[in-house]
């Protein structure tokens, strides 16, 4: 007779399939048109949306045309003022209604999502749909509170939103809920592989009595998406591939459209020797085998400390072999179908390349239909394609490290910066690593935790902007536009031989790089304010960026420490106020001194938050400096504008390369004397004078400049937006003049845009 243990081990799962009947019944309403102005349109040219698990066509949906997009935008435009004018409480009630209706139809949504996407029912039912519901409830709350909590801010207007196929309903919720709460109206384009739950959601909008035109949904492929990006919308919010994100960055440059991008990742999953290894193995299951690995923040690079690597890898392989691949509707399935054969091919091709480059592939199970067995790649180097490229499939790549410092180095050895997961029972070490990784979200002893009250989003080429929580609301609100006139285009200055000095001035002007005065690399100058001013170029910007990088200690100093240094700077400015006034105006010099005290005051006060999310977790939303920022300071207030942009950036811990006014740079150059006698470490402030447009281009293209502010003419603003698409740095480009002397000159935006949010999930309890 077998023992109980033997019997348990021999037991297999019986199938426990969820019936697709309710969803198939609903699908009979097709073929589907779009949802525009509160009604479904007649279907146009249609395409099939397919169940990847079976290859069967589920329904026909309409390929959205430019005319469809235009009609949807028109409806959204018409509805927007009325929607924004509703008391927050009224908007909240609609969002509550949507949350409740969604909750009531959870099962239908979950099954429909499974059919269209191929994900396992257990995940759709327990994760996608409940999180979407939570998102609408949370943002109903923001609708209620937005006027109190974001005084003076306004919605953008009409938002174009484009979402991917990996979490179709959840991404819809992430996009719609904050936009609507803030008073925007929306045109949303779901992904072509998975449009169905969005169409079902449209029915809820009707049922909730949402005013016509507030939500519009247009189905279609990338072309439909491109038409939406080009349409008369005020903001684009995009989630998808980095490649398409880059294109959108380029085409929205100079249009005045606000932009947030949530792009790809190659997130590290770091296992330290002292970690609970069994928990970490389960963590990997959730990190890379959840949702077939089709997760932008998937922990796809497993980094394990050498001393535990072999035992960890063995346990991981054993666990992987037990994952159940199969019918997504079966409740005991762990891994369902890949969304589309095209995606399966992509996964297989990257894995093949990785193997060609020397990786060893462990992949129990075989390929059948649109399914990909879970896989682990070992024995690869940091340059292997599987360590660098997002695979977007159930494939983990594993490498080892010796020390925590090496783990950080490997973790950051990617162009992405979306998420990171850190496993250690030593919370001090884990938090130390969390502080050093370049990632918008960090999970300690956990992975893929989400909550509507936890900001989510990336750094570097994973994009910019946050979704969820108070921080996410900011992506759908804006400060009043500056009241000044559009700035005129500046002709490039005429180069003169010699690098400064000249008749009638008491000293030779130089660039300020790394805390020292430097001659411009080209050896030329130009004439401004009766002086010869150094004509900086590409090489000088590069040197300045390098010097700024070396001054990394500034970002680690305490806020109090930075405040003290900035107060001392302010005092020194006051002592030289007359000199500064002589090169600008009395009012500007007075204003600049006051502003220096103002930003010094903020240095230790613009701090993060602890968000209430899941039990037994502290969810920290930290405000981190970008690192090295570029500043194209305004032409119109050569001293006050320079100080007003420089100081908030460094108060928050950034190091900057600043290009002052081209026509009147002398007050900024005079500041070199003040900086030299203050305690600001060399390299924190670098000043390069010269042709603003060209210097701005070099900064926009520079991969080591993490964020850029451009207070310049329309042409320079547009150019920097386009040229920043390389490393996808956030660019704050503004072409209308600000009244620097007034409140516009010290708006809260200067703080918000000087930091990026890092969300750190810290667990507690046994
Ligand atoms: P994608 O970026 O092509 O598509 C995302 C969305 O953008 C879809 O709705 C698509 O129709 C739309 N789109 C495509 N081209 C567009 C354009 N030129 N202008 C406007 N919208 C456009 O992503 P994909 O083809 O679905 O997947 C390709 C790769 O992207 C995946 O293998 C994966 O690496 C990555 N991806 C990332 C995420 C994420 O959440 N970060 C999600 C899905 C895919
Ligand atoms: Mg489909």
């Amino acid at each position: 007779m077998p023992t109980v243990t033997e019997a348990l081990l021999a037991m297999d799962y019986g199938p426990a399939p969820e019936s697709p009947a309710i969803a198939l019944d609903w699908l009979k309403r097709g073929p589907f048109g779009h949802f525009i102005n509160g009604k479904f349109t007649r279907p146009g040219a249609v395409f099939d949306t397919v169940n990847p698990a079976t290859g069967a066509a589920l329904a026909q949906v309409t390929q959205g045309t430019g005319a469809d997009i235009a009609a949807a935008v028109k409806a959204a435009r018409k509805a927007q003022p009325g929607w924004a004018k509703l008391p927050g409480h009224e908007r909240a009630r609609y969002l509550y209604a949507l949350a409740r209706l969604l909750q009531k139809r959870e099962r239908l949504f979950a099954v429909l999502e499974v059919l269209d996407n191929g994900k396992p029912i257990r995940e759709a039912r327990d994760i996608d749909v409940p999180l979407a519901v939570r998102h609408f409830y949370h943002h109903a709350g923001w609708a209620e509170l937005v006027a109190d909590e974001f005084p003076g801010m306004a919605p953008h207007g009409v938002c174009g939103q484009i979402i991917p196929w990996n979490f179709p309903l959840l991404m819809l919720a992430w996009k719609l809920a904050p936009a609507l709460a803030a008073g925007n109206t929306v045109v949303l384009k779901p992904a072509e592989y998975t449009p169905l739950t969005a169409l079902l959601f449209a029915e809820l909008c009707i049922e909730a009595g949402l005013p016509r035109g507030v939500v519009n949904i247009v189905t279609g492929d990338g072309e439909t998406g491109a038409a939406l990006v080009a349409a008369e919308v005020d903001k684009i919010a995009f989630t998808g591939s980095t490649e398409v994100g880059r294109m959108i960055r380029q085409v929205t440059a100079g249009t005045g459209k606000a932009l947030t991008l949530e792009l790809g990742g190659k997130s590290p999953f770091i296992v330290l020797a002292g970690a609970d290894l069994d928990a970490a193995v389960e963590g990997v299951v959730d990190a890379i085998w959840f949702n077939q690995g089709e997760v932008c923040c998937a922990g796809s690079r497993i980094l394990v400390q050498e001393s535990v690597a072999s035992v960890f890898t063995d346990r991981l392989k054993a666990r992987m072999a037990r994952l159940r691949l199969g019918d997504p509707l079966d409740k005991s399935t762990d891994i369902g179908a890949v969304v589309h054969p095209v995606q399966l091919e992509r996964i297989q091709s990257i894995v093949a390349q990785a193997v060609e480059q020397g990786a060893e592939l462990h992949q129990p199970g075989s390929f059948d239909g649109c399914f990909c067995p879970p896989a682990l790649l070992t024995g690869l180097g940091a340059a292997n394609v599987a360590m660098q490229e997002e695979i977007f499939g159930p494939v983990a790549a594993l490498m080892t490290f010796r020390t925590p410092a090496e783990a950080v180095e490997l973790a950051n050895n990617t162009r992405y910066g979306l998420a990171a997961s850190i496993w250690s029972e030593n919370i001090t070490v884990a938090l130390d690593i969390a502080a050093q990784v370049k990632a918008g979200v960090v999970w300690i002893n956990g992975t893929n935790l989400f909550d509507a009250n936890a900001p989510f989003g990336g750094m570097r080429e994973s994009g910019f902007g946050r979704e969820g929580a108070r921080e996410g609301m900011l992506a759908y609100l804006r400060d009043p536009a500056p009241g000044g006139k559009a700035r005129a285009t500046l002709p490039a200055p005429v180069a003169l031989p010699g690098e400064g000095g000249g008749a009638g001035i008491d000293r030779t002007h130089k660039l300020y790089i790394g805390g020292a005065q430097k001659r411009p690399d080209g050896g030329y100058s130009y004439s401004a304010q009766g002086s010869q001013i150094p004509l900086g170029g590409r090489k000088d910007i590069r040197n300045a960026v390098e010097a700024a990088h070396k001054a990394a200690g500034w970002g680690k100093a305490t806020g109090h420490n930075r405040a003290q240094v900035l107060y001392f700077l302010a005092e020194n400015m006051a002592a030289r106020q007359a000199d500064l006034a002589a090169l600008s105006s009395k009012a500007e010099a007075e204003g600049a001194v006051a502003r220096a005290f103002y930003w010094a005051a903020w240095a230790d006060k613009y701090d993060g938050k602890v968000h209430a999310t899941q039990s037994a977790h502290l969810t920290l939303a930290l405000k981190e400096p970008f690192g090295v920022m570029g500043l194209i300071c305004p032409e119109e207030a050569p001293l006050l504008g320079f100080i007003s942009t420089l100081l908030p950036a460094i108060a928050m811990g950034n190091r900057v390369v600043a290009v002052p006014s081209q026509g009147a740079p002398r007050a900024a150059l005079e500041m070199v004397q003040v900086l030299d006698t203050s305690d600001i470490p060399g390299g924190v402030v670098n000043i390069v004078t010269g042709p603003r447009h060209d210097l701005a281009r070099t900064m926009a293209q520079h991969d080591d400049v993490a964020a850029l502010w451009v207070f310049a003419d329309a042409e320079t603003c547009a150019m920097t937006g386009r040229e920043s698409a390389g490393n996808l740095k956030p660019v704050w480009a503004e072409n209308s003049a600000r009244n620097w002397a007034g409140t516009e000159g010290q708006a809260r935006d200067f703080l918000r845009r000087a930091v990026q949010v890092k969300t750190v999930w810290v667990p507690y309890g046994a």
Side-chain angles (χ1 to χ4, degrees), residues 266 289 300-302 313 316-317 320 347 350-356 358-363 374-380 384-387 391 394-399:
K266 192 75 206 177
W289 296 318
S300 51
R301 286 186 298 147
I302 305 173
T313 311
L316 195 57
K317 285 183 195 161
M320 184 171 79
I347 297 169
I350 300 184
V351 169
Q353 279 178 59
V355 170
E356 229 164 75
E360 194 182 327
L361 173 67
H362 313 269
Q363 190 169 33
L376 177 68
L377 292 163
T378 57
L380 23 66
N384 189 291
V385 61
M387 274 287 161
I391 300 176
V395 184
L398 186 144
M399 262 186 83

Side-chain angles (χ1 to χ4, degrees), residues 584 587-593 595 634 637-645 740-742:
S584 54
E588 257 201 82
E590 218 173 84
V593 170
R595 189 116 322 141
L639 176 64
L640 184 53
F642 175 75
I643 292 299
S644 301
T645 48
W740 293 96

Side-chain angles (χ1 to χ4, degrees), residues 298-361:
S300 51
R301 286 186 298 147
I302 305 173
L303 307 175
V304 193
Q305 197 152 14
E306 217 166 71
S307 55
V308 293
S310 81
V311 45
F312 182 79
T313 311
D314 288 346
R315 286 190 209 176
L316 195 57
K317 285 183 195 161
R319 181 68 181 91
M320 184 171 79
R322 286 206 308 277
L323 291 169
R324 290 173 58 88
L325 180 81
D327 179 6
L329 282 169
D330 187 330
K331 288 168 203 132
S332 54
T333 289
D334 297 311
I335 298 185
V338 168
V339 71
H340 193 276
V342 166
Q343 183 66 14
L344 182 62
E345 261 168 47
R346 185 186 140 84
I347 297 169
Q348 287 171 317
S349 116
I350 300 184
V351 169
Q353 279 178 59
V355 170
E356 229 164 75
Q357 295 173 6
E360 194 182 327
L361 173 67

Side-chain angles (χ1 to χ4, degrees), residues 512-516 548 551 569 642 646-647 650 654-658 675 680-687:
Y512 189 57
I513 295 176
L569 176 78
F642 175 75
L646 177 73
L647 294 188
I650 67 171
N654 297 288
R655 296 90 74 192
V656 302
V657 177
L675 290 163
I680 296 187
V684 171
V685 177
N686 304 277
I687 303 173

Side-chain angles (χ1 to χ4, degrees), residues 161-167 171 189-193 220-229 238-245 247-248 251 262-265 294-297 339 342-343 346-347 350 389-393 416 418 456 462:
Q161 306 185 315
I162 299 169
I163 56 175
W165 41 257
N166 52 348
F167 293 92
M171 291 302 105
K189 192 203 79 68
E192 54 270 43
Y193 296 157
D221 61 9
E223 261 181 57
T224 314
L228 179 53
V229 171
F238 172 80
T239 298
S241 61
T242 293
E243 188 192 348
V244 173
M247 255 154 59
I248 293 178
V251 301
E262 203 273 88
L263 309 175
E294 297 164 341
V295 183
C296 51
C297 52
V339 71
V342 166
Q343 183 66 14
R346 185 186 140 84
I347 297 169
I350 300 184
E389 290 291 312
E390 184 175 47
I391 300 176
F392 233 63
Y416 295 113
L418 192 49
F456 184 92
S462 293

Side-chain angles (χ1 to χ4, degrees), residues 393-409:
V395 184
L398 186 144
M399 262 186 83
T400 61
F401 64 86
R402 293 214 173 109
T403 62
E406 197 194 338
V408 170
E409 202 183 305

